[in-house]
Amino acid sequence: GINQKSFTLEPGKYILRETTAPDGYFVAVDKAFTVNENGTVTVGETIATDNIVVMEDNYTKVEISKVHIVDESTTKLIGGAELEIYKAEDWNTEANAPNEGAKFVEQWTSEEGKTHTINALPAGDYYLVETSSPDGYTITEAVKFTVDGTTNKIQQVEMKDDISRINISKVDIDSTSTVVAGATMQLTSDDGKD
């Protein structure tokens, strides 16, 4: 939002300096301006509209990718995964669950072919958590990541999914640990299709 303050200043040169910035933002670059004898304000060579000196804060940018591993060198952005982000101190790694009373920082459902961007996420450690996976995929383990509060470059976080896999073996009826070789099997879906 806009935080606007009014001051009455004598003609002269001034520097507007931000000493602290809100969480998720960077301290802005100093803004030099001049109050002219005629009462107008000049920033650089430009006369400020309505005598307003604007200071713009930049912010952290985190881009989340939920991907399926196609092969060793290819991934595909997948949709339908329900995702949440928790502060690291709110995530219990042993239980693989949020601490009691913890609230997520962000929640969304991934979209096929799209990343999810979060702006102005405060610097610190977080966990990216999948709470529900798309059909045919398994829930992925939580991914820990750190938001660097010293760069305004896009910070990438990737959660890799794998397809659901099962192992099937034929065993001797009298000894479930003895695998029987030489059997031919067919796997079909519940509607009878291969």
Side-chain angles (χ1 to χ4, degrees):
I2 296 175
N3 185 7
Q4 191 170 329
K5 303 273 186 195
S6 295
F7 299 96
T8 302
L9 299 172
E10 296 293 321
K13 295 183 182 219
Y14 296 90
I15 294 177
L16 178 60
R17 176 172 292 136
E18 182 176 42
T19 55
T20 59
D23 285 345
Y25 288 82
F26 303 104
V27 172
V29 175
D30 289 355
K31 183 75 83 167
F33 65 96
T34 303
V35 176
N36 301 306
E37 292 290 336
N38 65 2
T40 61
V41 175
T42 306
V43 179
E45 301 295 319
T46 307
I47 295 179
T49 304
D50 297 326
N51 287 348
I52 297 174
V53 177
V54 177
M55 178 172 272
E56 296 175 345
D57 280 348
N58 209 336
Y59 46 83
T60 62
K61 299 165 193 80
V62 179
E63 186 178 79
I64 309 285
S65 302
K66 177 66 175 161
V67 299
H68 163 70
I69 303 167
V70 177
D71 59 41
E72 288 182 17
S73 61
T74 310
T75 59
K76 176 180 132 186
L77 291 165
I78 59 174
E82 293 179 19
L83 303 166
E84 296 176 346
I85 292 178
Y86 288 88
K87 291 180 179 178
E89 62 265 21
D90 291 338
W91 188 253
N92 183 328
T93 55
E94 289 180 22
N96 198 33
N99 293 324
E100 190 173 327
K103 300 210 182 311
F104 55 80
V105 175
E106 180 96 356
Q107 180 183 47
W108 73 99
T109 301
S110 66
E111 295 182 54
E112 186 171 340
K114 294 183 179 181
T115 58
H116 180 77
T117 302
I118 304 168
N119 293 327
L121 190 60
D125 294 329
Y126 295 88
Y127 278 93
L128 171 61
V129 179
E130 183 174 30
T131 59
S132 178
S133 61
D135 288 344
Y137 294 91
T138 57
I139 289 181
T140 304
E141 196 171 306
V143 174
K144 186 175 185 180
F145 67 97
T146 301
V147 175
D148 180 353
T150 64
T151 180
N152 63 358
K153 293 182 180 167
I154 295 174
Q155 299 172 59
Q156 307 279 334
V157 178
E158 186 175 73
M159 178 179 268
K160 295 177 182 174
D161 239 347
D162 203 358
I163 57 174
S164 299
R165 299 178 191 278
I166 61 168
N167 292 315
I168 300 174
S169 55
K170 180 168 171 112
V171 295
D172 186 287
I173 196 166
D174 293 326
S175 170
T176 57
S177 62
T178 304
V179 176
V180 177
T184 301
M185 295 184 243
Q186 180 180 16
L187 180 64
T188 61
S189 63
D190 62 354
D191 62 3
K193 296 180 182 175
D194 289 340

